[in-house]
Amino acid sequence: MSTIFLKRFFKNPFQVASIVPSSKTLIRKVSDKMDHSVPRVIAEYGPGEGCHTREIVRRMHPESKLMLFELDQELSVHLEKQFAHDPRISVHNMDCAKLPEVLAQKQIPHCDYVVSGIPFSILEKGKKREILENTHAVLAPEAHSAFIIYQVTNELHTRGHCDHFEKAESQYCLANLPPMFVTKFYKHGSNGKNGKH
Ligand SMILES: C[S@@+](CC[C@H](N)C(=O)[O-])C[C@H]1O[C@@H](n2cnc3c(N)ncnc32)[C@H](O)[C@@H]1O
């Protein structure tokens, strides 16, 4: 078990929102949703101690870029040390709602994928809307571009918070503590709007 993660949970339970990092099965299911055969721009919201990040880094193209947004300062320092050797990765100790500003500073027009582990269900309504609108806005206008989330509830999908995305696909991952939904929201869905299943 990751001690730093547990420590940060006790320090800030509503922000960290989990006592154990994601399982290997959940990490694989999330990473499987991205195509790394060509260079990609990827943002990760709430990487925690970096369990999903390590798998994305292992798979991603040598010319891809990965931006990590982690609110917790101690976890951000841990991520900076862990990935200091890899120039493709940048760590941003800030709210993921600031992704558009970071892209503008880096002069990067779009993201191909945004992966999120932040606890949306306990976010204040305005913050939730801001993050979801910004995420949609930064995704490239391409068929592959997607927002990929893992959550205990599937409310972003079932309650229509992500109806501005054209298509969504969900699966349930039992092999995690607690079990989670993995949902991929496509900016542009070739099958039209609301491919819910
Ligand atoms: C449930 S943990 C997930 C950690 C890791 N991704 C995993 O799967 O084990 C949520 C993480 O999101 C971070 N977080 C919460 N709200 C955030 C926000 N608005 N911007 C960036 N990070 C945030 C927390 O500090 C915490 O590290």
Side-chain angles (χ1 to χ4, degrees):
M1 182 181 300
S2 167
T3 350
I4 184 168
F5 197 65
L6 193 60
K7 208 172 104 194
R8 298 317 291 164
F9 170 79
F10 285 120
K11 194 84 186 161
N12 204 342
F14 291 107
Q15 184 186 300
V16 175
S18 177
I19 53 166
V20 279
S22 294
S23 70
K24 280 193 177 137
T25 308
L26 179 63
I27 292 167
R28 183 176 41 76
K29 282 184 190 288
V30 169
S31 272
D32 282 351
K33 306 228 171 279
M34 286 170 272
D35 167 24
H36 294 292
S37 59
V38 293
R40 300 291 194 198
V41 176
I42 307 165
E44 185 184 359
Y45 298 167
E49 57 78 52
C51 55
H52 286 270
T53 320
R54 288 188 288 278
E55 184 60 16
I56 297 168
V57 169
R58 194 180 71 75
R59 296 183 185 206
M60 78 184 189
H61 191 278
E63 286 160 43
S64 286
K65 289 183 174 59
L66 174 62
M67 289 159 279
L68 309 177
F69 289 81
E70 175 50 62
L71 263 186
D72 186 277
Q73 200 193 353
E74 215 171 286
L75 288 170
S76 295
V77 171
H78 179 76
L79 291 164
E80 267 163 18
K81 285 190 192 146
Q82 197 178 157
F83 299 109
H85 63 283
D86 194 330
R88 298 173 299 174
I89 303 166
S90 56
V91 181
H92 306 273
N93 176 209
M94 58 177 75
D95 184 352
C96 60
K98 298 215 162 92
L99 171 59
E101 291 161 47
V102 170
L103 285 175
Q105 278 161 16
K106 289 177 177 283
Q107 299 185 305
I108 298 174
H110 292 113
C111 284
D112 296 288
Y113 300 114
V114 175
V115 181
S116 174
I118 66 168
F120 273 103
S121 47
I122 54 175
L123 286 189
E124 183 263 316
K125 214 170 148 190
K127 176 56 68 183
K128 192 186 302 195
R129 190 174 310 128
E130 182 189 7
I131 295 174
L132 295 174
E133 280 174 6
N134 287 358
T135 303
H136 184 269
V138 301
L139 283 171
E142 306 283 344
H144 69 269
S145 299
F147 176 42
I148 301 154
I149 59 159
Y150 46 98
Q151 295 276 279
V152 176
T153 73
N154 204 14
E155 58 141 12
L156 291 193
H157 186 27
T158 56
R159 293 204 188 156
H161 296 297
C162 280
D163 273 359
H164 48 317
F165 290 82
E166 286 188 2
K167 182 183 154 193
E169 290 168 352
S170 286
Q171 68 179 137
Y172 199 47
C173 177
L174 271 170
N176 191 67
L177 196 68
M180 292 216 182
F181 288 93
V182 180
T183 303
K184 182 171 182 180
F185 296 100
Y186 294 85
K187 180 158 180 160
H188 294 297
S190 48
N191 298 335
K193 208 173 171 179
N194 282 336
K196 294 182 182 178
H197 65 267

